[in-house]
Amino acid sequence: MIQGNERWPAVRATIRFSLGQAADAVDRKDLFCHDLGQLFDRLQSASEGLNEVEKARCGLDGVAVELVLQIDPEKREILLDKLFKYCDMDLHLFTELLQILKRHYPDCHLIVPSLQGYELAREIHRFLGAPDLEYVYLKGEAEERLLMSGALEGLSFERILDDTERHYRERGGMERKKAEHGPGRELSMYLQGEEGEEEVLWMRVGIGLGSGSFKH
């Protein structure tokens, strides 16, 4: 397990590895950690150059970025439990992380077990394509409900993104909502259906790291 340390006070990170019996598992881990450390160096440098407004948006103890990853090459699974940037930095966090993951674990499946924020969902779609929906937990005016298996038929990741964009557009735009929330809060997603509009509390999604491209 690797955790953030004194070298990168602006980064709070926990990386867990399940190496299994693969002959190259340790070498892949070491190369991955080397590249990730270089990314953390850049994040730390960028955080030190923030203006006072952006520094004030950072989390507890000046943390600018949070990351929690679980990597299991034997199962070919990478769980992205958390990825969040509290402030505006001249560095595209998800793109940088995705490039490193694709470089060292291109045969793995990226799973986000509790995807909540719209911005990360949009980035996943932009750079990898539409992931498979495994579970979707919704909150309506009267009740909460979990969609899985057959209940997900006809529902797509793109539809949720479209409904979310429509939700914020009709309420003054996303930037306005982000300003109201303040730092450290993610923008919720929404689904418009027969039950009316429901908030997406979380989704479990998965997609192969061999998918998509980095074309802008």
Side-chain angles (χ1 to χ4, degrees):
M1 180 175 70
I2 298 176
Q3 293 182 306
N5 57 32
E6 294 179 358
R7 179 177 168 185
W8 308 296
V11 181
R12 181 180 294 137
T14 301
I15 318 295
R16 295 183 175 89
F17 293 89
S18 299
L19 297 180
Q21 303 300 315
D24 64 343
V26 174
D27 289 340
R28 292 175 82 182
K29 172 189 172 183
D30 290 345
L31 291 170
F32 170 79
C33 290
H34 175 267
D35 285 358
L36 192 64
Q38 290 187 325
L39 172 58
F40 288 176
D41 285 340
R42 294 168 60 199
L43 287 168
Q44 183 61 40
S45 178
S47 73
E48 293 167 0
L50 292 173
N51 60 40
E52 294 304 315
V53 173
E54 292 305 320
K55 285 182 178 179
R57 296 178 64 197
C58 290
L60 187 65
D61 299 325
V63 170
V65 171
E66 287 194 71
L67 169 65
V68 180
L69 270 178
Q70 298 183 55
I71 299 175
D72 190 333
E74 194 166 59
K75 291 184 178 179
R76 295 187 179 182
E77 288 184 352
I78 295 177
L79 269 64
L80 179 56
D81 288 309
K82 188 174 183 66
L83 180 67
F84 194 77
K85 185 169 66 173
Y86 287 91
C87 54
D88 289 330
M89 306 170 77
D90 189 21
L91 196 150
H92 204 296
L93 180 58
F94 182 71
T95 309
E96 298 284 346
L97 176 62
L98 186 58
Q99 286 177 327
I100 296 171
L101 290 172
K102 287 171 73 78
R103 185 180 307 133
H104 299 291
Y105 299 104
D107 55 338
C108 288
H109 203 69
L110 179 67
I111 297 171
V112 186
S114 55
L115 178 59
Q116 298 175 329
Y118 166 76
E119 292 177 289
L120 178 55
R122 183 176 58 181
E123 295 292 273
I124 291 171
H125 185 261
R126 178 183 180 187
F127 293 108
L128 288 175
D132 295 327
L133 298 176
E134 299 179 12
Y135 300 95
V136 178
Y137 195 64
L138 301 168
K139 179 182 179 181
E141 290 187 2
E143 61 179 2
E144 298 177 5
R145 61 193 183 115
L146 176 66
L147 303 184
M148 55 187 294
S149 303
L152 290 171
E153 187 174 348
L155 178 59
S156 68
F157 193 80
E158 292 97 329
R159 177 182 164 189
I160 292 174
L161 293 184
D162 288 344
D163 286 352
T164 299
E165 291 166 5
R166 184 183 305 109
H167 169 92
Y168 289 111
R169 186 168 58 247
E170 292 173 351
R171 291 162 177 78
M174 292 186 180
E175 291 304 317
R176 176 179 176 181
K177 195 62 179 180
K178 287 169 65 176
E180 292 175 359
H181 274 338
R185 294 284 301 278
E186 297 176 318
L187 289 177
S188 296
M189 289 180 280
Y190 294 88
L191 175 66
Q192 182 70 45
E194 295 179 359
E195 305 291 331
E197 185 176 74
E198 298 173 280
E199 182 180 1
V200 180
L201 296 183
W202 57 265
M203 297 186 287
R204 179 182 170 97
V205 304
I207 190 168
L209 282 171
S211 305
S213 68
F214 288 98
K215 294 180 180 179
H216 291 257

